[in-house]
């Protein structure tokens, strides 16, 4: 079989096969691909299970817990952990503004949420972003008005930024001669 890799990949004397800048780009592309694939798999599963239809079938303004959603699915789960696993799926879908989420108090496993459909039609018909349509304000306004959400949001942003900066510092050499006082 012919080798289709460029010479720079196969004859490099560096410890890395890819130039440092390209390695960072490849890492970010891989992370983006994994996140996209995870989202698509969760969305496909939610559609196949009837989760989206179940949530859409309730009256406007009604919020459902993950247990209530699991109970209303067309095929009833036999797995006792189904509501917990469903909650994880719902969180990912809500992070993409496909569903709305609100805290509903403490349950058996800590905080529990309630779910309802998002206003995606408003995104298409009115040009509104889904978060504003769902919550009546931009995400940063909502963050300022909701302390538990703000803590969770800030922690998520901080952890993601830390991970990203570690990757940048692994390959970027522009800070090597910088001193702090």
């Amino acid at each position: 079989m012919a080798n289709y890799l460029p010479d720079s990949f196969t004859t490099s004397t560096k410890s890395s096969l890819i130039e440092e800048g390209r390695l960072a780009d490849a890492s970010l592309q891989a992370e983006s691909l994994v996140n996209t694939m995870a989202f698509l798999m969760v969305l496909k599963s939610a559609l196949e299970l009837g989760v989206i239809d179940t949530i859409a079938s309730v009256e406007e303004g009604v919020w459902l817990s993950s247990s209530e959603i699991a109970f209303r699915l067309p095929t009833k789960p036999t797995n006792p952990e189904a509501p917990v696993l469903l909650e994880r799926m719902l969180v990912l879908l809500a992070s993409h503004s496909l569903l709305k989420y609100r805290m509903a108090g403490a349950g058996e496993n800590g905080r529990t949420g309630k779910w309802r459909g998002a206003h995606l039609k408003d995104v298409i018909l009115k040009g509104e972003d889904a978060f504003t349509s769902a919550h009546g304000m931009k995400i940063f306004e909502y963050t300022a008005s909701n302390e538990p959400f703000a803590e969770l949001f800030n922690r998520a942003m901080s952890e993601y930024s830390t991970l990203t900066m570690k990757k940048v510092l692994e390959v970027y050499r522009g800070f090597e001669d910088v001193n702090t006082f």
Side-chain angles (χ1 to χ4, degrees), residues 169 173-181:
L169 294 173
R173 300 294 174 225
F175 296 123
E176 288 179 346
D177 295 327
V178 176
N179 295 314
T180 59
F181 299 96

Side-chain angles (χ1 to χ4, degrees), residues 114-133:
K114 293 278 189 169
W115 304 92
R116 72 177 190 196
H119 298 274
L120 292 181
K121 67 179 185 214
D122 294 339
V123 173
I124 296 167
L125 297 176
K126 299 178 186 176
E128 295 178 2
D129 70 272
F131 193 92
T132 300
S133 182

Side-chain angles (χ1 to χ4, degrees), residues 40-54 73-74 89 93 98:
L40 292 174
M41 287 188 287
V42 166
L43 178 59
K44 181 179 185 268
S45 296
L47 291 169
E48 289 174 346
L49 289 169
V51 171
I52 305 299
D53 290 335
T54 299
L73 291 176
M89 291 175 64
L93 296 174
L98 294 179

Side-chain angles (χ1 to χ4, degrees), residues 2-58:
N3 182 356
Y4 292 102
L5 293 175
D7 288 342
S8 63
F9 283 104
T10 57
T11 60
S12 174
T13 58
K14 292 184 176 182
S15 61
S16 172
L17 295 177
I18 303 174
E19 295 173 22
E20 291 175 358
R22 291 179 61 199
L23 179 59
D25 290 344
S27 176
L28 290 174
Q29 288 175 349
E31 182 180 340
S32 177
L33 181 61
V34 167
N35 289 336
T36 299
M37 288 174 34
F39 168 71
L40 292 174
M41 287 188 287
V42 166
L43 178 59
K44 181 179 185 268
S45 296
L47 291 169
E48 289 174 346
L49 289 169
V51 171
I52 305 299
D53 290 335
T54 299
I55 294 171
S57 70
V58 299

Side-chain angles (χ1 to χ4, degrees), residues 93-101 118-120 122-123 128-146 149 153:
L93 296 174
S95 75
H96 287 271
S97 297
L98 294 179
L99 300 174
K100 292 189 233 178
Y101 173 80
H119 298 274
L120 292 181
D122 294 339
V123 173
E128 295 178 2
D129 70 272
F131 193 92
T132 300
S133 182
H135 300 283
M137 60 185 81
K138 299 275 186 193
I139 190 166
F140 291 110
E141 294 169 335
Y142 184 80
T143 301
S145 70
N146 184 323
F149 179 80
F153 180 81

